[in-house]
Amino acid sequence: MADLSTELIHHPYVAPEGFAAPQVGVFKASTVYFPSVAAMRSREWKDKSAYTYGLHGTPTTYALEERLCTLEGGKHCLLVPSGLAAVALVAMSILKAGDEVLIPDNAYGPNKTFAEGELLAWGITHQYYDPLDPQDLEAQISSRTKLVWLEAAGSVTLEFPDLVALVRICKQRKVLTALDNTWGAGIAYKPFDLVSGESPALGVDITAHAVTKYPSGGGDVLMGSVMTRDHALALRIKLTHMRLGLAVGANDAELVLRSLPSIGLRYRAQDEATRGLARWAQSQPEFVQVLHPALADSPGFAHWQALCNNGYGGAACLFSVILDERFTHDQTDAFCDALKLFKLGYSWAGPVSLVVPYDLKTMRSVVPKHLSRGTVVRFSIGLENVQDLQDDIAQALRVLR
Ligand SMILES: *Cc1c(COP(=O)(O)O)cnc(C)c1O
């Protein structure tokens, strides 16, 4: 009899083919076997026609990438360990020393921090533009501009830009565009097809998506994706992705695959709850301004309506309030601390509602005129009962009265 260990490791049993079930299997591998040296030399992983090494993909990660392409309307997708890694991968794939990147002033904060830290140290400069002023973007594009970031709606203050105008300017000036698509998630609007019926399609070149948010939906997975429709661009990003050694865990990929079928239902349910609460918040005297792109007096409302209002006009599960400036820092903190169902914590689009107070002065190069003075508090709405959430905010407001 052969040695037991050897026999267990090189076991001859192969399960029958043809297994079919609702969920994609969890394939785990660093090592992938080749049947021959010839196969080892000739197998191609760049076009997903085969398997070579765990870093380059497994049936589980390929399946998730294809489903995310369907969600966002892209053709090529790569998975990375977080949404922030997706943002960084885009910059590292496109930019080199001497180039400049333009970033909207209301971009996801760590996107700006990455530009101010790593990019600057590598000789890549950045400028911040006013996302509500396409002429400001146009004026800032120079021969050194190689990438323009877009975000709709913007982070924390949720202004909705004229995305179509911004993309048209970049196309005219032949500058690549990358959209942080976490808020729209492929549901509120189609980033690669911004104007219906326009041929060729008007859209962004690249999307980065914090899969951590809606695609996961559980508040328990960190993941990001980078997507494009362009084959040459996809290859460029893929080579950087490979050289950086980025990969995601098979169990995390499985969790997202399991959550994806309900993303449409969750997006819509959380959207409706959020809009109801945002409208109610407008009637509370302590809040001098409520920020949500679907509120008629919110900055960029008309652009949101134009882009997101064909069929189901979608908006994500976020709204922010500005607490009257007569409240002290300590009072604002006490209001947030008094919330019971809303937990203090970062991220959003999971089952639990969250709250974060922000200091806008540290976040914007220019504090926009369209914002009232006071402290910004952002709510993200989970899946709890809406009336319970409203009652929670109402009881916490008592600490201010
Ligand atoms: C959360 C978030 C990210 C980053 O995602 P992580 O997975 O937390 O790194 C990027 N962009 C936006 C708009 C986000 O909300």
Side-chain angles (χ1 to χ4, degrees):
M1 189 186 149
D3 174 79
L4 181 62
S5 305
T6 305
E7 209 168 9
L8 287 175
I9 294 165
H10 296 271
H11 201 284
Y13 177 79
V14 180
E17 283 183 24
F19 179 80
Q23 297 304 329
V24 177
V26 183
F27 291 89
K28 293 188 168 187
S30 46
T31 300
V32 170
Y33 296 154
F34 300 88
S36 65
V37 175
M40 202 167 204
R41 293 204 176 116
S42 67
R43 263 195 205 173
E44 182 54 83
W45 53 271
K46 292 192 207 76
D47 61 3
K48 294 192 189 174
S49 61
Y51 305 99
T52 51
Y53 189 55
L55 261 183
H56 303 156
T58 65
T60 310
T61 59
Y62 283 180
L64 179 52
E65 287 169 355
E66 291 305 310
R67 291 183 190 192
L68 290 173
C69 281
T70 299
L71 176 68
E72 289 187 65
K75 287 207 177 100
H76 311 275
C77 174
L78 285 166
L79 300 174
V80 292
S82 70
L84 181 52
V87 168
L89 173 64
V90 171
M92 287 189 279
S93 308
I94 305 301
L95 301 166
K96 60 180 187 333
D99 291 347
E100 184 158 279
V101 54
L102 303 182
I103 303 173
D105 206 24
N106 60 0
Y108 176 65
N111 187 344
K112 297 168 92 172
T113 314
F114 183 70
E116 289 161 11
E118 277 64 27
L119 293 186
L120 215 47
W122 296 335
I124 298 159
T125 58
H126 60 273
Q127 303 286 342
Y128 299 128
Y129 69 90
D130 176 355
L132 293 181
D133 182 4
Q135 281 170 359
D136 184 46
L137 171 69
E138 180 145 41
Q140 294 203 45
I141 294 176
S142 75
S143 58
R144 292 203 300 117
T145 310
K146 293 289 145 56
L147 178 67
V148 171
W149 275 105
L150 303 157
E151 206 171 312
S155 279
V156 182
T157 42
L158 300 163
E159 293 93 349
F160 208 95
D162 186 349
L163 203 55
V164 172
L166 296 175
V167 171
R168 278 200 207 284
I169 289 167
C170 296
K171 295 269 168 213
Q172 274 158 15
R173 303 291 293 271
K174 300 194 167 29
V175 181
L176 285 176
T177 49
L179 170 82
D180 183 326
N181 195 30
T182 309
W183 186 93
I187 292 174
Y189 57 92
K190 294 291 168 197
F192 295 101
D193 246 321
L194 291 169
V195 183
S196 66
E198 189 159 315
S199 175
L202 181 83
V204 302
D205 296 301
I206 303 165
T207 61
H209 190 167
V211 174
T212 305
K213 308 288 167 52
Y214 280 108
S216 149
D220 55 355
V221 177
L222 285 161
M223 198 180 291
S225 68
V226 175
M227 195 177 295
T228 174
R229 275 189 179 177
D230 183 90
H231 186 71
L233 196 52
L235 188 60
R236 191 164 153 191
I237 298 168
K238 189 166 260 192
L239 289 173
T240 302
H241 180 266
M242 185 265 283
R243 291 188 288 250
L244 288 169
L246 299 171
V248 303
N251 289 107
D252 286 347
E254 184 214 19
L255 283 174
V256 179
L257 281 164
R258 202 171 191 283
S259 291
L260 266 188
S262 64
I263 190 171
L265 295 171
R266 288 184 284 110
Y267 196 95
R268 193 164 185 147
Q270 285 171 286
D271 176 358
E272 276 168 19
T274 305
R275 273 190 231 196
L277 284 169
R279 272 188 225 108
W280 170 81
Q282 286 184 305
S283 67
Q284 304 306 300
E286 289 79 4
F287 303 146
V288 288
Q289 197 172 1
V290 178
L291 301 165
H292 182 294
L295 294 179
D297 50 2
S298 244
F301 167 73
H303 304 311
W304 170 80
Q305 206 176 31
L307 193 66
C308 305
N309 240 9
N310 34 7
Y312 163 59
C317 60
L318 297 170
F319 75 96
S320 293
V321 297
I322 301 185
L323 275 144
D324 195 307
E325 60 178 333
R326 78 186 133 98
F327 299 118
T328 64
H329 206 73
D330 288 348
Q331 282 179 300
T332 316
D333 288 358
F335 164 70
C336 294
D337 284 337
L339 290 160
K340 295 194 173 83
L341 294 177
F342 285 88
K343 299 296 177 193
L344 286 159
Y346 297 109
S347 202
W348 44 285
V352 180
S353 293
L354 300 168
V355 64
V356 183
Y358 286 95
D359 182 6
L360 215 55
K361 285 188 290 299
T362 66
M363 298 162 60
R364 301 279 180 266
S365 62
V366 182
V367 177
K369 288 193 195 64
H370 59 252
L371 297 180
S372 303
R373 289 159 65 105
T375 308
V376 177
V377 174
R378 189 192 73 182
F379 295 97
S380 74
I381 305 308
L383 291 165
E384 301 95 333
N385 176 276
V386 191
Q387 188 61 49
D388 289 344
L389 294 175
Q390 183 178 311
D391 292 347
D392 192 28
I393 299 175
Q395 67 79 24
L397 277 171
R398 269 184 241 131
V399 307
L400 300 174
R401 284 172 188 168

